[in-house]
């Protein structure tokens, strides 16, 4: 076998042909290493669909590279050459090929970046770690933006990203005269409206082989493997995104916060799993949405709302993650210690809203943002669940979950466990909010109008109990002042009933 010049390690979420480590190399003398690894598939018990999606997308990407001339060592799980970790696999490949250098694009997650940081000391060949250019804002640029600011509000960061990219800009001013149309994005969805569905793709031979592997190896992991309809190639991910732009984007803005029973996707894009592993490019999808707005096929509140999620929230949470790691994963502002209730795995709590979110998560490895934030996240905070246990759950169960994006959303946004770095107030809500934004309550055994007692919606007593028990933590937050005044206006008997109802419910969890 001829001597390999550069060995390029491509990680599972680096499925992008223009990846810096590939751009820096030459198929004529360099070689790519990709591997399906037991350690990566089990550091949390990932949803079966998530593992199958990523393995199949990795195998298709290896084929995509081979088709343009790259020699690729693709190490399948279960093959004789397979080692369980990145480091062991690389050691094996170095012994086989004796490359002059190893190239790798920096890992998206702290855990893997630490593993890579150890390679230089372990191996006798130089290891080059290249910055990942697949984000709009580099980590040094985010750190420069954050430096000296007392508050790191997403809105101001987002405006910078709009200026930097020129997306929906009219010179130095935002198109439409406003930066943010969020207030127009909070309609509850009527249940009889036409509902688009994300495109699904029949498994090909590669995916079918992966599905059999996952069923055999990860049978005890959470989640349904079938039916499997994710795109696993760049072309199909593009097609799924194009279908979203045509069919759902026009209504995306209006119904972004809505929830409907038996409608897991509503007008959401269902593309985060493709963006996060590199099958779709964030800036390209935003430019496509901007073009749809300019062509008059989508309203401004939809185009702006979508672009804000990508160049605003997605980039912002990544910046926060790298600013605060390590240590951010142990944030616990409220000192919550309760274990994760069993029904996060089974979906049999009796609360229709929670069970709908868990059941569709089990079926689809997907729940939309408001379900994650205001149902499962909100419930966990009100019930006092340990944020780290919840973080591990979110990291396991969603096809789009990688720690850099999941952790700030869970610990910062949904649990306020960082004490307000990311959110200006806790996203805590009683049943009234859920009832306003969804049709769950009409089929629930609990009564959303009752605050206390055995039939009362658990979110109600838990909400007021959370407000009361967290007073010394949230009392100085101006955005919580009205809520505390309302609690204080309750008669002592009512406060006692709230405490008892919450305690009874939690005792039976
Ligand atoms: P859409 O609603 O159609 O939005 C379009 C795109 O915007 C998404 O594909 C996503 O790339 C981006 N986006 C929207 N909101 C956010 C956000 N808050 N942070 C980052 N990107 C955003 N997103 C992940 O990609 N991975 C995660 O592991 C993840 N964990 C989350 C955990 C919690 C507790 C919460 C509250 C949110 C989490 N999110 C996560 C953010 C968000 O829920 C998902 O990005 C979104 O639901 C993906 O579905 P979609 O593609 O249909 O998104
Ligand atoms: C999430 C994941 C899974 C399930 N499996 C693999 C794998 O077998 N091989 C691989 O290269 N990457 C995998 N990943 C992604 C990594 O865990 C990790 O998220 C990325 O390398 C980013 O740090
Ligand atoms: Fe959820 Fe309460 Fe409504 Fe039942 S009544 S669906 S528990 S908010």
């Amino acid at each position: 076998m001829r001597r390999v010049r550069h060995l390029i390690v491509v990680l599972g979420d680096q499925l992008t042909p223009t990846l810096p480590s590939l751009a820096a190399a030459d198929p004529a003398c360099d070689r790519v290493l990709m591997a399906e690894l037991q350690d990566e598939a089990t550091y949390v018990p990932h949803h079966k669909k998530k593992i199958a999606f990523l393995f199949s997308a990795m195998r298709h990407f290896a084929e995509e590279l081979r088709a343009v001339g790259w020699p690729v060592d693709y190490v399948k799980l279960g093959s004789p050459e397979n080692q369980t970790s990145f480091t062991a696999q690389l050691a094996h490949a170095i012994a086989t090929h004796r490359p002059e250098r190893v190239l790798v694009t920096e890992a998206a997650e702290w855990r893997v970046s630490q593993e890579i940081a150890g390679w230089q000391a372990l191996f006798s060949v130089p290891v080059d770690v290249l910055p990942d250019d697949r984000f709009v804002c580099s980590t040094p640029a985010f750190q420069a933006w954050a430096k000296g600011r007392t508050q790191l509000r997403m809105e101001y960061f987002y405006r910078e990203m709009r200026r930097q990219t020129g997306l929906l800009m009219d010179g130095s001013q935002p198109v439409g005269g406003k930066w943010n149309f969020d207030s127009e994005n909070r309609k509850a969805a009527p249940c009889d409206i036409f509902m688009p569905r994300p495109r699904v793709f029949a498994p090909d031979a590669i995916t079918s082989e992966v599905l059999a592997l996952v069923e055999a190896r990860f049978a005890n992991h959470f989640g349904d493997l079938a039916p499997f309809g994710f795109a696993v190639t760049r072309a199909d991910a593009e097609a799924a995104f194009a279908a979203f732009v045509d069919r759902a984007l026009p209504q995306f803005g209006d119904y972004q916060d809505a929830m409907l029973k038996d409608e897991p996707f509503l007008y959401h894009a269902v593309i985060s799993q493709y963006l996060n592993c590199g099958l779709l490019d964030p800036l390209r999808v935003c430019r496509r949405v901007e073009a749809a707005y300019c062509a008059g096929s989508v309203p401004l509140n939809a185009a702006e709302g979508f672009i804000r999620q990508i160049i605003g929230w997605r980039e912002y949470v990544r910046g926060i993650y790298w600013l605060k790691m390590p240590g951010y994963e142990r944030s616990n502002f409220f000192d919550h210690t309760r274990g994760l209730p069993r029904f996060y795995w089974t979906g049999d709590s009796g609360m229709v809203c929670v069970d709908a979110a868990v059941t569709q998560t089990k079926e689809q490895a997907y729940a939309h943002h408001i379900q994650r934030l205001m149902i499962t996240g909100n419930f966990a905070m009100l019930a006092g669940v340990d944020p780290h246990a919840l973080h591990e759950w979110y990291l396991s169960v969603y096809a789009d979950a990688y720690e850099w994006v999941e952790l700030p959303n869970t610990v910062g946004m949904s649990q306020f466990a960082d004490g307000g770095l990311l959110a200006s107030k806790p996203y805590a809500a009683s049943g009234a909010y859920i009832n306003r934004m969804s049709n769950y309550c009409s089929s629930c055994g609990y009564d959303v109008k009752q605050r206390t007692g055995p039939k009362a919606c658990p979110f109600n007593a838990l909400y007021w109990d959370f407000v009361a028990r967290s007073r010394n933590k949230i009392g100085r937050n101006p955005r919580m002042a009205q809520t505390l005044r309302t609690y204080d206006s309750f008669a002592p008997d009512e406060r006692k009933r709230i405490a008892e109802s919450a305690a009874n419910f939690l005792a039976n969890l």
Side-chain angles (χ1 to χ4, degrees):
M1 199 184 294
R2 73 170 167 74
R3 180 91 191 267
V4 170
R5 189 186 60 154
H6 296 163
L7 185 64
I8 301 139
V9 182
V10 174
L11 310 179
D13 59 350
Q14 298 183 340
L15 311 183
T16 312
T18 55
L19 196 71
S21 46
L22 292 170
D26 178 357
C29 47
D30 302 332
R31 197 168 185 91
V32 171
L33 172 66
M34 298 178 70
E36 295 166 6
L37 300 164
Q38 184 71 14
D39 282 7
E40 294 307 305
T42 56
Y43 69 89
V44 288
H46 300 288
H47 194 298
K48 288 194 205 104
K49 254 190 186 122
K50 176 182 181 182
I51 303 177
F53 162 67
L54 205 63
F55 282 10
S56 180
M58 286 169 65
R59 290 185 186 196
H60 282 90
F61 183 65
E63 291 307 318
E64 190 184 337
L65 291 180
R66 283 182 184 131
V68 293
W70 280 101
V72 182
D73 282 355
Y74 187 95
V75 190
K76 291 181 181 174
L77 195 67
S79 72
E81 304 78 38
N82 189 277
Q83 314 292 310
T84 57
S85 70
F86 286 122
T87 303
Q89 199 67 59
L90 178 59
H92 186 270
I94 289 175
T96 309
H97 298 297
R98 294 183 296 105
E100 290 166 23
R101 304 186 87 77
V102 169
L103 298 189
V104 62
T105 301
E106 66 189 353
E109 296 177 307
W110 175 261
R111 178 183 57 81
V112 183
S113 80
Q114 290 309 101
E115 185 173 346
I116 290 174
W119 286 353
Q120 192 60 88
L122 275 179
F123 303 119
S124 54
V125 287
V127 178
D128 292 344
V129 183
L130 306 179
D132 192 344
D133 63 2
R134 299 174 301 161
F135 292 89
V136 179
C137 184
S138 69
T139 41
F142 188 88
Q143 283 166 7
W145 174 80
K147 198 164 179 212
R149 286 174 193 261
T150 44
Q151 290 202 314
L152 301 179
R153 291 289 165 252
M154 196 290 289
E155 181 61 27
Y156 298 109
F157 170 77
Y158 165 57
R159 292 178 192 182
E160 283 298 315
M161 293 301 101
R162 288 274 294 278
R163 289 191 191 97
Q164 184 182 312
T165 57
L167 281 162
L168 294 181
M169 292 298 288
D170 192 356
S172 61
Q173 295 306 309
V175 168
K178 278 201 307 185
W179 290 101
N180 185 316
F181 290 81
D182 202 20
S183 58
E184 293 172 30
N185 293 352
R186 293 185 189 140
K187 286 191 195 155
C191 355
D192 56 352
I193 49 177
F194 163 76
M195 206 60 68
R197 294 287 186 308
R199 271 200 63 176
V200 292
F201 301 85
D204 64 5
I206 293 179
T207 302
S208 300
E209 190 182 296
V210 166
L211 291 172
L213 173 85
V214 172
E215 195 53 76
R217 293 247 172 182
F218 305 103
N220 62 342
H221 282 216
F222 173 76
D224 299 348
L225 199 48
F228 183 91
F230 286 136
V232 288
T233 63
R234 190 170 323 285
D236 283 353
E238 298 273 4
F241 175 62
F244 160 72
V245 173
D246 289 347
R247 301 183 205 156
L249 179 62
Q251 311 271 29
F252 173 84
D254 286 351
Y255 299 121
Q256 216 173 315
D257 287 5
M259 295 173 281
L260 281 183
K261 195 159 176 262
D262 304 323
E263 291 292 349
F265 309 110
L266 290 118
Y267 295 95
H268 292 275
V270 196
I271 57 161
S272 44
Q273 69 280 23
Y274 307 139
L275 285 166
N276 296 350
C277 73
L279 289 184
L280 289 180
D281 177 69
L283 207 48
R284 261 173 63 118
V285 301
C286 290
R287 298 241 182 266
R288 173 86 199 267
V289 165
E290 183 188 44
Y293 164 71
C294 293
S297 50
V298 301
L300 184 54
N301 74 321
E304 187 283 317
F306 180 86
I307 287 172
R308 176 162 22 98
Q309 305 312 313
I310 307 263
I311 64 166
W313 281 111
R314 185 171 185 271
E315 296 284 332
Y316 170 79
V317 297
R318 175 173 182 260
I320 295 280
Y321 177 76
W322 283 102
L323 195 65
K324 292 293 164 188
M325 285 300 280
Y328 197 57
E329 77 286 4
R330 289 286 161 196
S331 310
N332 193 352
F333 180 67
F334 293 119
D335 298 320
H336 284 161
T337 55
R338 184 177 301 282
L340 190 73
R342 207 182 59 96
F343 56 69
Y344 274 73
W345 301 107
T346 54
D348 60 357
S349 72
M351 294 177 277
V352 164
C353 54
V354 173
D355 294 345
V358 171
T359 303
Q360 77 167 68
T361 298
K362 180 171 165 287
E363 290 169 357
Q364 311 284 354
Y366 176 85
H368 63 73
H369 185 66
I370 293 301
Q371 291 178 300
R372 299 188 205 193
L373 185 64
M374 300 311 292
I375 305 291
T376 43
N378 179 27
F379 181 87
M381 180 167 64
L382 301 185
V385 171
D386 173 5
H388 194 263
L390 188 70
H391 148 60
E392 293 198 324
W393 182 77
Y394 280 111
L395 192 54
S396 307
V397 301
Y398 291 114
D400 60 18
Y402 298 85
E403 194 182 72
W404 66 266
V405 52
E406 174 278 327
L407 185 68
N409 269 299
T410 302
V411 151
M413 193 186 302
S414 92
Q415 300 303 289
F416 205 74
D418 61 10
L421 176 76
L422 200 143
S424 57
K425 84 187 228 321
Y427 280 98
S430 68
Y433 170 86
I434 297 169
N435 194 29
R436 190 163 66 249
M437 297 313 298
S438 78
N439 64 352
Y440 294 139
C441 303
S442 56
S443 57
C444 186
Y446 290 111
D447 181 353
V448 73
K449 300 272 188 261
Q450 289 184 41
R451 195 182 287 148
T452 57
K455 294 302 280 177
C457 165
F459 279 84
N460 291 341
L462 288 177
Y463 172 75
W464 290 111
D465 187 61
F466 164 78
V467 168
R469 75 171 190 262
S470 313
R471 176 188 290 274
N472 64 345
K473 301 261 187 185
I474 56 175
R476 289 213 303 275
N477 184 321
R479 298 194 63 200
M480 294 306 287
Q482 180 54 43
T483 308
L484 278 161
R485 275 198 294 278
T486 304
Y487 177 79
D488 290 340
S489 72
F490 294 157
D493 272 5
E494 180 64 357
R495 288 190 224 159
K496 190 160 165 270
R497 278 193 293 273
I498 286 171
E500 281 168 2
S501 273
N504 283 341
F505 180 81
L506 292 173
N508 291 321
L509 267 189

